[in-house]
Amino acid sequence: MTIFTRIAKGEIPSYKVAEDERFYAFLDINPLAPGHTLVIPKDVEDDYIFHLDEETYAGLWAFARKVAVALKAAVPCQRVGVAVLGMEVPHTHIHLVPLQTEGDMDFRKTRPEVTPEQHKAIAAAILKEYEKL
Ligand code: AMP
């Protein structure tokens, strides 16, 4: 079982920002910017997004769109950037990153310090916006 499956099951703690029956979104623990969110299918552990069946693939992006709308409402930003890498965790996930500049999307940059209290507050703010949608 991957670490992200265990997060979706609640066996490992995470800062949840949105959830439905099949998909789960939570804050990246080492964010490129405060509010950096990961969106995952709960039950599909394949590590390559283009291996997903068409229905799951479309559902994942539809869920990610809603999360991005909530994220932008909760975290002031120019727009929400999207990336799919998967070099580290072998469980399909979409990165949603609140951007002020193009450089905020640079995965090699030094990450900002975000305290657990800040993570908690940001996650709660995004979840609140998500629940309005
Ligand atoms: P990648 O697989 O290259 O797309 O990167 C995996 C991302 O998952 C990285 O940005 C990590 O900071 C993030 N990550 C790894 N473990 C956790 C965790 N337990 N909770 C939240 N984010 C995580």
Side-chain angles (χ1 to χ4, degrees), residues 59-108:
L60 179 66
W61 283 105
F63 178 73
R65 190 191 70 80
K66 278 182 78 175
V67 176
V69 169
L71 174 55
K72 189 158 190 306
V75 178
C77 59
Q78 295 284 334
R79 52 181 56 228
V80 173
V82 176
V84 178
L85 289 83
M87 307 300 279
E88 194 186 307
V89 178
H91 183 133
T92 290
H93 53 280
I94 297 171
H95 294 259
L96 299 177
V97 184
L99 302 180
Q100 302 303 344
T101 70
E102 199 178 273
D104 291 337
M105 206 75 204
D106 180 357
F107 279 78
R108 288 168 299 190

Side-chain angles (χ1 to χ4, degrees), residues 17-105:
V17 309
E19 180 173 23
D20 70 11
E21 298 94 68
R22 295 193 301 157
F23 305 107
Y24 188 80
F26 58 105
L27 294 182
D28 194 301
I29 206 67
N30 190 19
L32 287 168
H36 179 168
T37 293
L38 302 176
V39 179
I40 62 169
K42 290 180 179 177
D43 299 329
V44 185
E45 293 193 319
D46 200 300
D47 73 342
Y48 190 49
I49 194 165
F50 299 120
H51 287 161
L52 297 180
D53 65 78
E54 274 186 38
E55 204 269 328
T56 306
Y57 180 84
L60 179 66
W61 283 105
F63 178 73
R65 190 191 70 80
K66 278 182 78 175
V67 176
V69 169
L71 174 55
K72 189 158 190 306
V75 178
C77 59
Q78 295 284 334
R79 52 181 56 228
V80 173
V82 176
V84 178
L85 289 83
M87 307 300 279
E88 194 186 307
V89 178
H91 183 133
T92 290
H93 53 280
I94 297 171
H95 294 259
L96 299 177
V97 184
L99 302 180
Q100 302 303 344
T101 70
E102 199 178 273
D104 291 337
M105 206 75 204

